Amino acid sequence: MALSVRDVDRFEAARPRLEAIAYRLLGSASEAEDAVQETFLRWQGADVGRVDVPEAWLTKVLTNLCLNQLTSARARRETYVGQWLPEPLLDGDPMLGPGDTAEQRESVSFAVLVLLERLTPSERAVYVLREAFDYPHREIAEILDLTESASQQIFHRAKKHVADGRPRTEIDEVAARRIIDEFLAAATSGRTEPLVRLLTQDAIAVGDGGGKVPARTKAFEGAVAVATFMRGLFKPSRAKRDLAGGSPGIYVSTANGAPVVVAALDGRVIGVVTLEITADGIAAFRSQVNPDKLDRATRRWAATDHGEPLFHAF
């Protein structure tokens, strides 16, 4: 069924919100785009003249598509090569969605996206719709074919799971940037001790190469092990330059609402390192180097002025 210009416009008006919901649900920008496109195809095939509230109809279709995707994704990730990490979105990406409240900003933080992977699909859907988009439980129940009380129970359970995974209080952006600068100075010093002092005792480092870029399949654990790994990572070598195709520039940027380290080469983002920084020190490094998960970051990078690199790695 052909859509009228007005019906297409109604969908396009909803697209930014749909993409933001899908990204939080799936942790992948490319999969979010696919889910939104499939929602458009369902909209195109529907009798839209009988749809009283297009926003509610589109949200229901999208959310259920994402639930199906999450269920199949769990099976696929069992065979994923190495660690699976969410796809980072650089500052200003419209898929980040609303950031007016602390809850909205936190819902798209990398640390929370990692924690959301532990939830069941229904817990994740209820949490995202309620916490990030402030949907009332009555509407969430209609979207997910639940009772209102069930939606409330699922939300409280999901929120507790997320809270239990974040026992530390994070620090503000200015302090976080200072610690990142200290980290980069320590990492390039060739010494382990300055790095250890910046880390929590139970710090971890994990990378997602997707089987396309070398990345350790098991996380480094403990301050000494992580510091040793980071010192080696920044140590110059011809093998690293050959693997990367040159000496990437190192920048401090912002992704998912927090400072990150970006490695870029010839206008292409080849790595984004998110740091989980707490009042006790750096608790986690999560490195996204899978090229399939950096296409959108590269497009965003090319569209913005990021200045000169702090230095060139390797």
Side-chain angles (χ1 to χ4, degrees), residues 185-300:
T188 54
S189 71
R191 296 163 51 225
T192 303
E193 295 80 6
L195 280 167
V196 172
R197 288 196 292 270
L198 291 172
L199 308 179
T200 62
Q201 286 303 305
D202 58 351
I204 64 168
V206 59
D208 180 348
K212 299 186 177 183
V213 173
R216 182 180 166 93
T217 58
K218 185 179 179 181
F220 290 92
E221 299 180 356
V224 174
V226 172
T228 302
F229 166 67
M230 286 295 170
R231 183 195 64 189
L233 182 65
F234 282 89
K235 185 177 181 180
S237 77
R238 181 171 180 175
K240 293 174 188 171
R241 289 193 296 273
D242 290 344
L243 180 64
S247 297
I250 301 299
Y251 303 79
V252 175
S253 187
T254 304
N256 295 76
V260 295
V261 176
V262 173
L265 181 64
D266 299 330
R268 178 171 51 91
V269 174
I270 64 171
V272 176
V273 182
T274 64
L275 291 80
E276 186 175 332
I277 303 174
T278 74
D280 300 321
I282 303 173
F285 296 91
R286 297 183 177 94
S287 304
Q288 184 55 261
V289 292
N290 183 346
D292 292 343
K293 296 183 182 180
L294 294 172
D295 281 345
R296 189 177 179 98
T298 291
R299 295 197 301 270
R300 182 69 192 169

Side-chain angles (χ1 to χ4, degrees), residues 25-36:
L25 287 176
L26 300 173
S28 165
S30 59
E31 290 180 2
E33 290 173 340
D34 290 344
V36 172

